[in-house]
Amino acid sequence: MTAQANSLAPGLSAPPAAGGVMQPALLTRLRRRYGLSVVLIAILLVLVVLPAVFMFVGALMSGGMADPNAHFTLQKLRLVYTTWPYLHALGFTLMMSGGVAALATVVGVATAWLVARTDIPRKGFLELCLIAPLFLSPFVGGLAWLILGSPKSGLINVMARDFLGLRTPLINVVTTTGIVCVMALYFVPYAYLTVSSSLRNMDPAMEEASYLNGAGIVSTALRITLPVLRPALISAYFFIFVLAAGTFSIPAVLGGASRVPFLAVIVFQTSASYPIDYGKSAAVGTVLFWVSVMGVMLYRFASQSARRFVTVTARGFRIRQVRLRGWRGPAMAVIAVYVLLAIGLPYLALIYTALTRYITASVLHAPWTLDNVMWARDAPEVTDSIVNTLLVGVVTPTICVGFAVLLAFAIRRLRVPFARTLDYLAMFPIAIPGIVLGTGIFWTYVTTPVYGTIWILVLAFLASYLPFAYRISDTALLQIDKSWEEASSLCGAAHGRTLWRVTVPLIRPALLSAWVMVFIFSVREISAAILLASPSNEVLSTVSWNYLDYGDQQKAAVLGLIQTVILIGGVLMGQFVFRVRLTQAV
Amino acid sequence: MAQLQVDRLSIRYGQYLAVDDVSFDVREGEFVSLLGPSGCGKTTTLRCIAGLETASSGRIAIGGQRVADGSWEVPPNKRGVNMVFQSYAVWPHMTVFENVAYGLRSQRVPTAELTRRVRDTLEMVGLGAFEKRYGTELSGGQQQRLAVARAVVTSPRLLLFDEPLSNLDAGLRERMRVELTELQRRLGRTSVYVTHDQAEAMAMSDRVILMRNGRIVQQGTPRDLYETPNCRFAAEFVGNANLLPGVLDGPGRIRVGDLRLNAATPASGDADLLVCIRPENVQIAGEAGGENVFAAQVERVGYLGNSLSCEISAGGLRLRADLPAHSRMQQGASIHLRVDPANITLVPEVAEAAI
Ligand SMILES: Nc1ncnc2c1ncn2[C@@H]1O[C@H](COP(=O)(O)OP(=O)(O)O)[C@@H](O)[C@H]1O
Ligand SMILES: [Mg+2]
C-alpha cells in the first residue's frame, strides 16, 4: 500500500530536516492522505467511468454480456458511424437540440429582461411562474401535450372542432416543430436563471450610459445589454443543447423513432423493441456521448469567458427601470402565455384525461369517471411504484449529497493528492446523458445480482446527479470562512469530526437545497430508468410510460399526476420545512 | 438664463425622503459640486437631473427647456446631458474608439466628422494610442479617462460627474483631479460634480453646494464655505474647525469660556452662538497683551512634517492649533497665542436643529 501510494506521487518529496523520530508519523500521515484519495478515486471510477467504458465495450460486442458466443466486432460501430440512417439521426439530433436551445434561450432572455429591467408588476410571482416548470417532469409535460395537441384526438383540436367548427386540426405537436417547441417549454427556466443572474451582475450604469449617449430603449437593449450578456447566452445555449440532446422523454412520447430520428430515442428503441440489439444501442449511445462531450466543452469555454466578462457593480438596487406604459399588457401576456403552455394547459389536460373513460370526439360528451383514480388507489402495481419512487427519491439525494460534500471537503480543504483528477471525475457525468448512462450501467451490471433491483436505479441516478451536488457543495465551501474549520482543527478535532461538526452545519442551507433538487430529479427521471426497468423495479415514470405505450392515456395521466404531486411535495418541503431557496441551487 | 435650474426638487422612496426640497441654479460654463457625506442624496439628485430617476415633485430645466415637472419627464436620451459614472460603465464589448463613437453614432454624425471628433477627444484625454483596445483591457485610470472622453465627445449641454475619482487609489486620484480640472478649464463645460471629498470639491469647483440629509445646507464659492460656514455641520465638514460655545458680549465682542475675543464678522442677533476658529489660524504671539492674545498650555504635540498639530488648553477650553513645525513646541509649554479677529467666524447655534 505504501509503495503503491508513493509510486502514485513521484513528484512529492518528504520535507527536509524531518528528524528520524518524526519519520514514521509522517509516513502514516502520508499514507492516510493518499489512502483517502485512492478510495475516492476508486469509488468515482466505479460509479462514473466504468459505465462509460462498458458502453464502449458493449458497442464492440456482437452480442449481450451473457451471450457465451459474443465476440469483438467493429461492425456495429461502422454501421452507426458511417451509414446514412444513423448519420441522418445525428444531424437531426443536432438540429433539433440546436433549435430547442435557441428557442428556449430567446424566450429566457426576453422574460429575464422584462423581469429584471422593466417596471412590470408582481415580479416575484412572475419569476416563480417562469421557474416552476423546472420542478415538473418533462415526460409528464410531453404526455400532456400528446393529449392536447395530437392531430386527431388532441383536446385542443377537439375543442376547436366543438366550439369553432374547424374541420382541420388547429395544431399538431406530433411533428419535428411540435417536439422542438414542447421541449423548449421545459428548458426555458434554465435560460431564464442564467440570464437573470447575469443581468443582476451586470453594472446597470452600462445601460444608463447608453441612454445618456442618446440611445433609446430598444437600441440600448440590442447594442449594449445583449452583447454584454453574450457569453452568458452562449453558455445557456450550450447547456440547454446538451440537456436537449440527451432528452429521451418528450421526443419518445411525441415522435417515436419512425418519424423523428432522435438519437436518445433510437438508443432506447434498439434495446427495447424488436429486433433487440444491445450492441447497436450502445454504439448509438457512444455517438450521443460525443455530442454531449462537445456540447459540454463549448459550454465550459463560454462560461469561462463569461466570467472574464463580469463587470463590477456599484449598487445593485439602482437601475432605471424601463417604463412599459402601453406595453405592460403585451409583456404580461407573453409571460402568461408561456405559463399557460408550460403548466396551465398541460395539467388541465391531465386532470381531464384522468377523470374520463376514453378519448372522445367531443369534449361536450366527456365520459366522466372516477375509475382511473380508484384503479390507482387499489392496484398493487401503483403502490409498488410509488414506494419505489419515494425510496429512490430519498436514498439517492442522501448518498449523493453526502458523497459530494466529502469529495468537496477532501479536494478543497484537505487538499488531498490528485485533487484535479477527482474534480474532473466528479464533473464527468455532466457529459453523459441519462439514457447513455443507462446503457453503460446496463452493460456493467447486467450479469450481477444488482440488475433488476431498485439499487441499479440508485446507482444510475447517483452518477447522473453527482456533478450537480458536488458543484453546490464546492461553491458553498468556497463561501464559508476557512478559519472556522481551522479553529476546529487547532482545537484538536480530527478531519472527519471537523467536517461533521463544523463544515456541514455551516453549509447546511446549500446542502438542503441540493438534496431537494436531487430528490426532484430522481423522482421525475425516466431516461436511465426506462433502460434499466424490469418488473421488480418499476417507478412511477416507467409505469406511466408503459401504459402510454399500450395506448392507455388515462392511466398514464393518473400516474403522471401522482408523480407531480410528489414533486410538488418535494418543492413545498424544501420551501417551508427546509427553508431553502431552490432557485439559487440551480 | 441659468443652464441648469433645479426648483424645489424632492425625491421620495416610499416613506423615505432621499432629496428634500432642493433648489439651485448652475450658470453656463460653471463647475458646481454637490458635496456631502455619503447617503445625503447627491447621487439621487444628479441622477434625477440626468433623467435616470423620477422626481416626486419639483421642476428641472436644462438650457431653459423644461425636462422634468413632477412625474412628467423627458427621457434621459433626449436631454442632451452626459455623465461620468462612479463605476465608469465602460462597455466591455466595444473598443475604446467605439465606446467614444457610440454617442455620435446615436446623433447620426457623418463618418468623417465622427472619426475626427473621436480621435481629437481621445488625444485630449491621452488615450490616442489605445483606440483599438477593448474597454476591459484598460487600467482603472484609463477607464476613467475613457469615461470622460465618452461623456464630453457628444458636446452635452450639461456634464454630470458622480464621484468619478472615488474608485482610484490615492496617488492616481490626485493626478486625475488635476487633469480633470485642467480639462474642465479648457472645455468650459457646464458641469455638476458629485463628491463626498471636500478637498476635491474645494479644488475643482466654482461653487460648492453642501448637502445633508437630502437638503442643501449652504452654497457658495469654496472660499465662502470655508471662511463663513453657516452652521456647525458646514464648519466641521469643510476643513477642520474648533467649534466653541460662546456668548455675545457686545458688538464684535464675544466670550468663549474665560476668553474674551473680538470678532470682525458681525453676529446675528442671538446671544448663543458657536465660535469657529480654524486650527491653522491660531498663531503664536510674541508676548502677552494685544488684541485676541491669550495664554495657553500645550497639552499634546503631533509632528506632521509641515506643521505641528497641537492640542492646547486655554481659558478652560481645549482646542486644536496647527503651529509652524519650526516652532519646536514641547508638551507642557506655556505660551501665548493669537487669533486674528477676521479669522473668527460666528455660527448661529440654533441653525443646527433646523437642518
Ligand atoms: N432606489 C432606491 N430605493 C430606496 N432608497 C434609495 C434608493 N436610491 C437611493 N436611496 C437612498 O437615498 C439616500 C440617498 O442616496 P444617494 O443619493 O446615493 O446618496 P449619496 O450619493 O449622497 O451618497 C440613501 O439613504 C439611499 O439609501
Ligand atoms: Mg453617491
Side-chain angles (χ1 to χ4, degrees):
Chain A
M1 178 67 201
T2 316
Q4 207 179 3
N6 282 341
S7 71
L8 282 172
L12 189 113
S13 56
V21 202
M22 288 289 294
Q23 207 65 24
L26 190 73
L27 277 178
T28 321
R29 274 181 52 192
L30 277 180
R31 186 163 50 213
R32 259 198 225 133
R33 269 164 67 84
Y34 281 94
L36 184 56
S37 278
V38 168
V39 169
L40 291 177
I41 287 181
I43 294 176
L44 284 173
L45 284 177
V46 171
L47 197 60
V48 306
V49 179
L50 207 59
V53 171
F54 266 87
M55 176 179 63
F56 278 93
V57 172
L60 288 166
M61 298 288 277
S62 66
M65 277 309 224
D67 184 353
N69 298 324
H71 54 90
F72 279 99
T73 169
L74 280 176
Q75 180 230 339
K76 284 174 182 156
L77 284 182
R78 198 176 304 129
L79 181 76
V80 165
Y81 281 84
T82 61
T83 63
W84 174 243
Y86 295 96
L87 291 179
H88 176 233
L90 170 63
F92 214 80
T93 304
L94 292 177
M95 197 191 73
M96 279 181 72
S97 312
V100 169
L103 199 57
T105 309
V106 167
V107 178
V109 167
T111 49
W113 185 81
L114 282 175
V115 172
R117 290 293 194 258
T118 70
D119 60 350
I120 200 165
R122 302 191 172 278
K123 291 185 173 185
F125 177 70
L126 290 183
E127 179 157 275
L128 192 70
C129 290
L130 285 165
I131 294 170
L134 196 65
F135 306 123
L136 300 173
S137 153
F139 166 65
V140 176
L143 167 64
W145 271 101
L146 181 71
I147 293 170
L148 278 168
S150 58
K152 283 209 201 69
S153 56
L155 283 176
I156 292 177
N157 294 323
V158 169
M159 290 212 278
R161 214 155 43 220
D162 279 355
F163 300 119
L164 305 175
L166 292 187
R167 313 213 131 254
T168 50
L170 193 61
I171 59 161
N172 181 4
V173 294
V174 194
T175 57
T176 310
T177 320
I179 294 173
V180 167
C181 292
V182 173
M183 279 171 91
L185 280 180
Y186 292 91
F187 292 124
V188 164
Y190 294 99
Y192 174 84
L193 285 171
T194 313
V195 175
S196 66
S197 99
S198 295
L199 273 173
R200 263 196 300 274
N201 288 330
M202 177 180 170
D203 182 0
M206 291 206 274
E207 283 150 289
E208 295 175 341
S210 165
Y211 295 133
L212 291 175
N213 275 287
I217 292 161
V218 176
S219 171
T220 299
L222 295 181
R223 289 165 66 195
I224 303 295
T225 319
L226 264 192
V228 171
L229 289 180
R230 200 183 59 192
L233 297 187
I234 296 175
S235 75
Y237 179 90
F238 284 115
F239 188 72
I240 295 173
F241 176 88
V242 170
L243 288 180
T247 298
F248 157 77
S249 53
I250 293 174
V253 172
L254 297 181
S258 49
R259 261 166 303 183
V260 182
F262 202 67
L263 287 176
V265 180
I266 299 176
V267 171
F268 170 68
Q269 283 185 334
T270 41
S271 71
S273 55
Y274 194 77
I276 287 176
D277 186 340
Y278 292 120
K280 199 156 81 188
S281 170
V284 178
T286 63
V287 179
L288 192 50
F289 173 72
W290 295 125
V291 169
S292 219
V293 167
M294 180 200 74
V296 168
M297 274 161 58
L298 290 170
Y299 162 74
R300 284 208 151 188
F301 179 73
S303 36
Q304 263 154 24
S305 51
R307 220 164 297 135
R308 245 184 293 133
F309 235 52
V310 165
T311 51
V312 280
T313 162
R315 314 150 305 257
F317 61 87
R318 249 191 203 169
I319 170 75
R320 183 189 145 80
Q321 294 202 331
V322 171
R323 257 155 240 143
L324 289 173
R325 297 205 172 89
W327 291 96
R328 214 177 241 216
M332 297 282 277
V334 167
I335 298 181
V337 165
Y338 169 72
V339 175
L340 198 66
L341 294 182
I343 307 173
L345 287 181
Y347 282 96
L348 282 178
L350 287 176
I351 291 170
Y352 170 86
T353 308
L355 294 177
T356 51
R357 205 175 297 279
Y358 45 81
I359 301 162
T360 53
S362 160
V363 290
L364 300 174
H365 314 291
W368 298 105
T369 177
L370 279 177
D371 286 358
N372 302 313
V373 181
M374 291 307 158
W375 165 80
R377 195 192 60 186
D378 299 330
E381 178 190 16
V382 177
T383 318
D384 286 352
S385 63
I386 292 177
V387 170
N388 282 346
T389 303
L390 286 175
L391 191 65
V392 175
V394 171
V395 173
T396 310
T398 307
I399 302 180
C400 194
V401 173
F403 184 56
V405 175
L406 182 66
L407 260 179
F409 186 76
I411 293 172
R412 195 161 287 283
R413 289 291 197 259
L414 303 183
R415 299 173 188 285
V416 295
F418 309 111
R420 278 189 71 86
T421 314
L422 282 168
D423 183 72
Y424 256 94
L425 286 177
M427 292 309 287
F428 178 61
I430 55 170
I432 314 178
I435 194 117
V436 173
L437 191 77
T439 318
I441 297 253
F442 168 78
W443 280 95
T444 316
Y445 295 100
V446 69
T447 54
T448 68
V450 186
Y451 187 74
T453 68
I454 194 81
W455 304 108
I456 193 98
L457 297 186
V458 172
L459 272 177
F461 298 174
L462 272 182
S464 270
Y465 306 129
L466 179 64
F468 179 81
Y470 168 66
R471 201 31 87 219
I472 291 190
S473 314
D474 191 44
T475 312
L477 271 187
L478 260 181
Q479 280 164 358
I480 62 166
D481 191 351
K482 223 167 35 179
S483 56
W484 290 100
E485 296 166 3
E486 285 164 357
S488 160
S489 296
L490 287 178
C491 292
H495 291 316
R497 206 174 134 80
T498 304
L499 173 62
W500 184 244
R501 299 296 293 271
V502 179
T503 314
V504 168
L506 280 173
I507 60 176
R508 216 176 70 122
L511 298 186
L512 286 176
S513 53
W515 194 96
V516 175
M517 285 311 290
V518 176
F519 170 85
I520 288 167
F521 293 155
S522 308
V523 166
R524 74 182 190 189
E525 216 281 352
I526 184 165
S527 329
I530 198 98
L531 275 181
L532 302 169
S534 63
S536 54
N537 67 0
E538 297 280 20
V539 286
L540 280 168
S541 51
T542 54
V543 180
S544 177
W545 165 266
N546 289 341
Y547 278 102
L548 183 63
D549 214 22
Y550 306 149
D552 192 340
Q553 292 188 350
Q554 287 70 30
K555 292 204 169 81
V558 172
L559 292 163
L561 285 173
I562 295 176
Q563 194 199 58
T564 306
V565 169
I566 295 179
L567 289 174
I568 292 175
V571 173
L572 292 181
M573 182 176 61
Q575 222 59 317
F576 297 107
V577 183
F578 294 166
R579 307 215 163 268
V580 293
R581 288 205 50 194
L582 292 178
T583 53
Q584 285 172 346
V586 185
Chain B
M1 163 73 58
Q3 182 70 356
L4 168 68
Q5 291 166 290
V6 176
D7 185 22
R8 312 210 57 180
L9 180 70
S10 292
I11 301 161
R12 195 181 277 284
Y13 296 114
Q15 284 301 303
Y16 184 73
L17 251 184
V19 174
D20 183 6
D21 199 15
V22 161
S23 304
F24 63 92
D25 286 358
V26 179
R27 286 188 309 276
E28 174 94 53
E30 199 180 14
F31 191 104
V32 170
S33 288
L34 295 180
L35 174 68
S38 124
C40 72
K42 310 175 297 283
T43 301
T44 309
T45 308
L46 195 76
R47 287 169 58 83
C48 200
I49 296 169
L52 299 172
E53 209 90 32
T54 305
S56 304
S57 65
R59 279 174 301 275
I60 299 173
I62 297 169
Q65 177 199 358
R66 226 157 29 118
V67 295
D69 193 342
S71 58
W72 175 88
E73 58 181 9
V74 174
N77 51 327
K78 304 230 167 72
R79 289 199 179 187
V81 304
N82 216 328
M83 179 157 161
V84 177
F85 288 86
Q86 189 167 13
S87 58
Y88 316 138
V90 165
W91 297 308
H93 60 292
M94 293 183 190
T95 60
V96 168
F97 184 94
E98 282 305 320
N99 262 280
V100 179
Y102 187 90
L104 296 179
R105 290 196 204 282
S106 300
Q107 294 176 356
R108 309 203 182 286
V109 172
T111 316
E113 187 195 337
L114 176 140
T115 313
R116 185 179 52 75
R117 278 170 70 179
V118 172
R119 293 244 160 89
D120 286 353
T121 313
L122 284 175
E123 214 56 62
M124 189 172 65
V125 298
L127 286 178
F130 296 94
E131 64 173 55
K132 293 209 172 58
R133 290 244 192 129
Y134 277 87
T136 41
E137 297 168 353
L138 299 179
S139 70
Q142 288 168 334
Q143 289 195 23
Q144 214 270 327
R145 280 181 212 162
L146 175 53
V148 172
R150 188 175 69 187
V152 299
V153 76
T154 54
S155 308
R157 298 189 288 183
L158 188 62
L159 202 48
L160 307 172
F161 296 87
D162 188 4
E163 312 229 9
L165 304 180
S166 65
N167 282 341
L168 302 175
D169 41 25
L172 192 55
R173 190 182 315 166
E174 197 71 18
R175 220 172 66 219
M176 288 307 298
R177 188 172 88 191
V178 175
E179 269 184 40
L180 214 54
T181 315
E182 236 163 58
L183 190 73
Q184 163 58 20
R185 298 276 173 265
R186 194 134 48 101
L187 294 174
R189 288 279 160 70
T190 316
S191 306
V192 180
Y193 187 100
V194 160
T195 180
H196 67 271
D197 179 340
Q198 50 105 7
E200 217 170 284
M202 304 284 274
M204 298 176 79
S205 324
D206 299 320
R207 205 144 51 83
V208 176
I209 296 174
L210 182 64
M211 291 182 69
R212 185 192 190 192
N213 293 345
R215 294 202 192 175
I216 294 183
V217 172
Q218 187 175 5
Q219 45 178 315
T221 63
R223 182 175 289 273
D224 285 345
L225 246 69
Y226 191 76
E227 292 182 350
T228 53
N230 68 358
C231 63
R232 174 191 279 272
F233 169 74
E236 283 178 339
F237 196 80
V238 182
N240 296 314
N242 293 298
L243 285 168
L244 312 164
V247 181
L248 203 57
D249 262 356
R253 294 202 48 78
I254 45 173
R255 203 170 64 226
V256 189
D258 296 337
L259 305 178
R260 279 154 206 284
L261 300 173
N262 295 336
T265 47
S268 48
D270 270 305
D272 283 330
L273 39 77
L274 285 172
V275 178
C276 171
I277 301 170
R278 303 281 179 190
E280 67 274 20
N281 291 333
V282 181
Q283 303 155 349
I284 299 174
E287 63 214 35
E291 193 185 29
N292 284 0
V293 173
F294 51 91
Q297 181 111 23
V298 180
E299 300 287 347
R300 202 168 312 169
V301 182
Y303 178 69
L304 297 181
N306 58 351
S307 68
L308 297 176
S309 169
C310 303
E311 206 177 302
I312 57 169
S313 59
L317 299 166
R318 273 182 177 253
L319 53 155
R320 227 189 100 185
D322 292 346
L323 301 177
H326 59 75
S327 63
R328 300 198 171 272
M329 202 57 66
Q330 295 286 331
Q331 192 171 326
S334 290
I335 49 169
H336 285 96
L337 297 174
R338 176 178 183 278
V339 182
D340 194 303
N343 288 333
I344 295 181
T345 318
L346 304 179
V347 179
E349 173 77 305
V350 281
E352 191 65 18
I355 290 166

